Amino acid sequence: MRSDSKHATAKPVIKVRDLVAGYGEEVILKDLNFDVLEGEIFVILGGSGCGKSTLLKHLIGLCPPMAGSITINDLALTDEQNLQRVLRQCGILFQSGALFGSMTLAENVALPLQEYTDLPQTHIDTLVRMKLALVNLAGYEHHLPAEISGGMKKRAGLARAMALNPQILFFDEPSAGLDPISSAELDQLILHLNKTLGTTMIIVTHELDSIYTVADRIIMLDKRAKGIIAAGDPAHLRENSQNSYVRQFFNREPSPHKTGLE
Amino acid sequence: MPSSLSSVTPPARCRIQVNRDQPGSLFVALAGHLDELSAPQVINDFVALLNKEKVPQLFLDLAGVEYIDDFGVAVLVGFVTSVSARNGRLRMENIPEGVAEMLDRHRFNDLCQPEITTTKRKRTDSITNLGIFTLGAFSSLRHSLIFLGDTCLSLLRVCSHPRLLRGNDTLLFMKKVGVDALPIVALISFLLGLIMAFMSSVQLAQFGANIYVASLVSLSMTRELGPIMTAILVAGRSGSAFAAEIGTMKISEEVDALFTMGIDPHVFLVMPRLIATVLVMPLLTLFSDLFAILGGLLVGVSMLDLTFNGYIAQTISTLDLFDVFWGFGKAVIFALLISWTGCLRGFQVEGGAAGVGRATTSAVVSSIFLIILSDSLLVVMLRYWEG
Ligand SMILES: Nc1ncnc2c1ncn2[C@@H]1O[C@H](COP(=O)(O)OP(=O)(O)OP(=O)(O)O)[C@@H](O)[C@H]1O
Ligand SMILES: [Mg+2]
């Protein structure tokens, strides 16, 4: 567990107010209200299919909210120009990596650097090597995404997401598909970026270990409630939550009277 | 350390200062924030400095650097490599602790070495490329033959066990390939009939042989143009779609999933498409013939002073049943070629989205080529057959 004191004075970077999220007519999440503070590691938890990826897509403006508002750095995401400015400050790791299949890993990582900075190509190449080395992919610069494993795609996607040292990083299940060692190293990388660059991170994950290591604050979503059922500090929630689902989640207990997934 | 990059005012710029102390050596001091924002400026200044001064030995004093991020590290790497590219030497001095830590973390010394990757894509000369191309062509040919064999085998299996065929899929493809294509096939054939009648009448009218417009339109459409036009349209609409669908399934490992479930991908994916195309193509061709004759009729009646009955009678007397069935036969052959090529290209997809694009293009191009090629062969065959 990590100390909360460092955020005593932090201002909110992302504000979510009365958000209703969904696809078409179907409401997936409703009445969401929360802030993400500057420099904090904010973890979104919940069972499979409860709408974590959906929430993330709304936070980065890929889906327009059905109701309510989202602001990042006090800019509303509904405006196309605002969205462009906000996304320049954000790095996003998609659940599947979303690398461009026709480009090598180095080209994938170099793309945001080429688009957004005035650096000469040699410096971009050096930066790409550094970014790929950070995620333990040194030597794979000239591989195509089709030629590497699933976990490696994830890590390469992470390298691309953090290419520009963004102010806010969004991760959809960064450690899914990684072995325990890589996953622990990823946690260290997250903490390092958070500490040195003050990067705000919004992470969707299921890894309990990694939650205890990195999370400053968590919210837990639930499919039946279609909203937040718990929010706060992970260790505190595990010990003190009134909600049986939350306790079950933290203690890895199966649902009583059920054999399969819901 | 800046709390975040969001701060509205950029951090203090980085300064390069030159103190020339000894001859033959250049003393340069860096101070300030060496990060993403200051990097381009610092690089420009440094390159300008190097171009101006031709000094072999360069001392870089980092004592004043308050903050460095990985962009800054890349800048320093650039300094070292560009100085050594000019046969000089660069030494860094007074490195503050934070900077040293950052350099260590990114293995600064390794970064200054030229890239060593074991798997770098090899650059090849033209002879090697020719070899690679030839081998590729052969292996693609081999793959096509294997695929042809597989298709024939699964066709046999489906014929002997019709229940293996996925009926609903087949019906769906019949709709997609046939019903959905009908409007465009009808429109294009109608216009084609119109144009043919109009153009031929210009010549035939000189001999007062207007009535032969009907013969010309009906015979050329049923024997040649009807099947070919239909085939080209179907290749463009459906052959490409087959390649794209199967190709996408291939790269997202859906084809592998089918295989591991013990389902033959050929029976599951190829057969419904092939059979549906073979069933609907003759019908589409028939419609194409009819609409072309209609187009010719319109020109004949409205511009060439032919009567409706006269035109129809001439058409009927020109055509015999053999011509119509010959057109059907061609349509079946073209259908086989189109669906087979489309599926083959789909199964050959490798890589990602670009691979699917290539497969789609190549499905259309190779089916049209095969259509024209086989049509030429059939024309020659027919000529000898009829004596
Ligand atoms: N594009 C879509 N259109 C309609 N409904 C969708 C779409 N994507 C997801 N859903 C629905 O939204 C719900 C939440 O999906 P989401 O992908 O957000 O789940 P998740 O919490 O990320 O799950 P997981 O942990 O398995 O990734 C699901 O019930 C799903 O059926
Ligand atoms: Mg998800």
Side-chain angles (χ1 to χ4, degrees):
Chain A
M1 194 196 97
R2 308 177 57 227
S3 81
D4 261 331
S5 55
K6 74 169 181 183
H7 305 298
T9 55
K11 67 176 173 64
V13 196
I14 303 182
K15 290 185 207 153
V16 177
R17 295 288 174 268
D18 302 320
L19 176 70
V20 181
Y23 300 97
E25 294 293 296
E26 190 191 353
V27 175
I28 308 281
L29 294 165
K30 56 182 204 276
D31 301 332
L32 296 188
N33 280 293
F34 59 85
D35 286 345
V36 179
L37 305 179
E38 181 160 43
E40 117 178 298
I41 301 184
F42 186 85
V43 172
I44 302 172
L45 287 177
S48 185
C50 70
K52 303 180 296 292
S53 300
T54 308
L55 176 57
L56 217 54
K57 278 186 207 158
H58 281 77
L59 290 181
I60 55 183
L62 282 183
C63 304
M66 293 163 82
S69 72
I70 303 169
T71 58
I72 297 188
N73 289 333
D74 295 323
L75 295 171
L77 293 192
T78 39
D79 182 330
E80 187 68 24
Q81 275 183 336
N82 281 353
L83 191 62
Q84 289 304 319
R85 274 169 63 194
V86 166
L87 287 183
R88 166 71 180 79
Q89 300 283 324
C90 296
I92 296 132
L93 171 64
F94 289 93
Q95 196 161 5
S96 58
L99 297 172
F100 302 116
S102 56
M103 303 182 183
T104 62
L105 296 196
E107 286 163 346
N108 264 287
V109 180
L111 187 65
L113 293 167
Q114 286 161 342
E115 287 292 311
Y116 286 114
T117 66
D118 300 327
L119 297 178
Q121 187 61 39
T122 48
H123 290 77
I124 291 185
D125 290 342
T126 312
L127 273 168
V128 167
R129 278 171 73 189
M130 283 157 62
K131 303 284 177 188
L132 284 173
L134 269 186
V135 293
N136 275 340
L137 280 177
Y140 287 94
E141 281 86 355
H142 301 283
H143 279 66
L144 288 172
E147 300 165 347
I148 59 175
S149 78
M152 287 158 85
K153 279 183 207 158
K154 204 75 187 244
R155 286 185 274 149
L158 178 61
R160 190 181 67 186
M162 60 188 204
L164 289 168
N165 291 340
Q167 182 204 350
I168 312 172
L169 267 170
F170 295 87
F171 297 106
D172 199 347
E173 309 211 2
S175 46
L178 296 187
D179 59 287
I181 299 178
S182 305
S183 159
E185 281 171 359
L186 185 64
D187 289 346
Q188 291 312 312
L189 180 62
I190 288 173
L191 286 174
H192 167 74
L193 290 177
N194 178 256
K195 204 171 65 173
T196 55
L197 295 175
T199 315
T200 309
M201 316 233 182
I202 291 94
I203 305 178
V204 171
T205 185
H206 299 292
E207 300 271 318
L208 285 176
D209 291 342
S210 112
I211 295 166
Y212 293 131
T213 322
V214 300
D216 289 316
R217 223 147 51 86
I218 63 169
I219 58 171
M220 187 180 267
L221 304 176
D222 182 53
K223 198 177 168 96
R224 260 165 305 168
K226 296 195 175 177
I228 303 176
I229 52 167
D233 172 302
H236 182 77
L237 280 182
R238 171 162 83 165
E239 306 301 330
N240 305 321
S241 178
Q242 304 299 313
N243 190 315
S244 62
Y245 182 76
V246 177
R247 281 201 311 275
Q248 224 180 306
F249 194 99
F250 278 108
N251 296 318
R252 288 175 175 253
E253 292 161 6
S255 295
H257 323 302
K258 278 203 203 102
T259 48
L261 288 170
E262 194 185 356
Chain B
M1 207 174 299
S3 62
S4 100
L5 300 178
S6 71
S7 39
V8 191
T9 50
R13 280 295 161 105
C14 194
R15 294 172 302 278
I16 291 193
Q17 215 170 7
V18 184
N19 323 319
R20 197 168 312 146
D21 269 1
Q22 299 164 2
S25 313
L26 191 63
F27 288 79
V28 179
L30 260 184
H33 290 250
L34 194 52
D35 59 11
E36 183 187 347
L37 291 174
S38 57
Q41 188 59 46
V42 175
I43 293 169
N44 282 343
D45 291 352
F46 191 77
V47 170
L49 183 72
L50 277 192
N51 287 340
K52 200 158 53 120
E53 316 273 344
K54 302 232 171 345
V55 194
Q57 181 88 325
L58 216 144
F59 293 94
L60 187 63
D61 186 345
L62 295 180
V65 176
E66 295 159 39
Y67 172 75
I68 187 169
D69 68 0
D70 39 10
F71 285 77
V73 176
V75 170
L76 293 182
V77 172
F79 285 2
V80 172
T81 46
S82 53
V83 169
S84 49
R86 288 169 160 85
N87 295 322
R89 262 171 51 83
L90 182 139
R91 273 191 46 196
M92 297 196 291
E93 294 177 327
N94 301 331
I95 306 176
E97 201 175 317
V99 177
E101 193 186 316
M102 196 68 184
L103 294 183
D104 266 358
R105 168 178 284 277
H106 288 292
R107 303 213 184 80
F108 182 75
N109 291 331
D110 290 353
L111 285 175
C112 295
Q113 303 306 315
E115 196 173 4
I116 0 156
T117 42
T118 45
T119 50
K120 182 144 186 156
R121 258 160 225 288
K122 293 176 218 92
R123 296 212 187 293
T124 48
D125 56 281
S126 49
I127 301 283
T128 324
N129 280 338
L130 183 67
I132 291 173
F133 176 79
T134 315
L135 288 179
F138 272 114
S139 91
S140 155
L141 187 67
R142 188 168 150 265
H143 192 275
S144 312
L145 286 177
I146 295 176
F147 189 81
L148 183 62
D150 279 340
T151 311
C152 293
L153 284 181
S154 26
L155 198 58
L156 283 180
R157 279 183 62 199
V158 168
C159 288
S160 54
H161 306 280
R163 296 181 59 181
L164 282 178
L165 183 69
R166 295 175 56 85
N168 285 342
D169 280 5
T170 314
L171 282 179
L172 183 71
F173 284 119
M174 285 172 74
K175 176 178 175 298
K176 281 192 192 166
V177 178
V179 181
D180 294 353
L182 188 56
I184 186 70
V185 168
L187 179 66
I188 288 190
S189 306
F190 180 79
L191 293 177
L192 206 63
L194 213 82
I195 295 167
M196 264 197 317
F198 190 70
M199 292 312 292
S200 55
S201 73
V202 175
Q203 299 299 318
L204 291 174
Q206 294 177 6
F207 310 104
N210 273 347
I211 189 66
Y212 288 106
V213 167
S215 307
L216 193 136
V217 170
S218 54
L219 196 64
S220 56
M221 272 319 276
T222 37
R223 274 208 185 177
E224 281 299 324
L225 292 176
I228 288 204
M229 281 312 299
T230 315
I232 289 179
L233 281 172
V234 170
R237 283 187 80 254
S238 308
S240 56
F242 294 167
E245 285 164 7
I246 296 182
T248 314
M249 293 182 73
K250 176 95 188 297
I251 54 176
S252 55
E253 298 177 326
E254 289 172 48
V255 174
D256 297 342
L258 275 179
F259 188 73
T260 53
M261 284 187 276
I263 299 172
D264 183 348
H266 286 271
V267 174
F268 190 92
L269 295 174
V270 181
M271 282 306 120
R273 290 172 168 81
L274 191 105
I275 290 175
T277 317
V278 167
L279 288 179
V280 296
M281 274 276 287
L283 293 177
L284 275 180
T285 306
L286 184 65
F287 277 108
S288 158
D289 297 347
L290 286 178
F291 276 93
I293 291 172
L294 211 62
L297 182 68
L298 186 69
V299 171
V301 172
S302 63
M303 301 175 69
L304 305 180
D305 299 331
L306 298 175
T307 60
F308 180 84
N309 286 339
Y311 191 98
I312 298 287
Q314 178 68 20
T315 302
I316 292 176
S317 74
T318 311
L319 289 180
D320 52 33
L321 214 50
F322 174 80
D323 296 318
V324 179
F325 279 111
W326 182 253
F328 281 3
K330 276 186 176 178
V332 169
I333 294 175
F334 296 161
L336 286 171
L337 289 174
I338 293 168
S339 49
W340 180 75
T341 321
C343 296
L344 169 72
R345 294 298 182 225
F347 274 100
Q348 282 175 334
V349 166
E350 258 160 30
V356 178
R358 270 195 303 274
T360 318
T361 312
S362 134
V364 176
V365 174
S366 22
S367 359
I368 291 181
F369 170 71
L370 287 176
I371 288 165
I372 305 287
L373 185 73
S374 60
D375 191 58
S376 329
L377 293 178
L378 286 171
V379 168
V380 176
M381 261 171 61
L382 185 65
R383 171 117 193 89
Y384 280 94
W385 188 7
E386 285 182 328

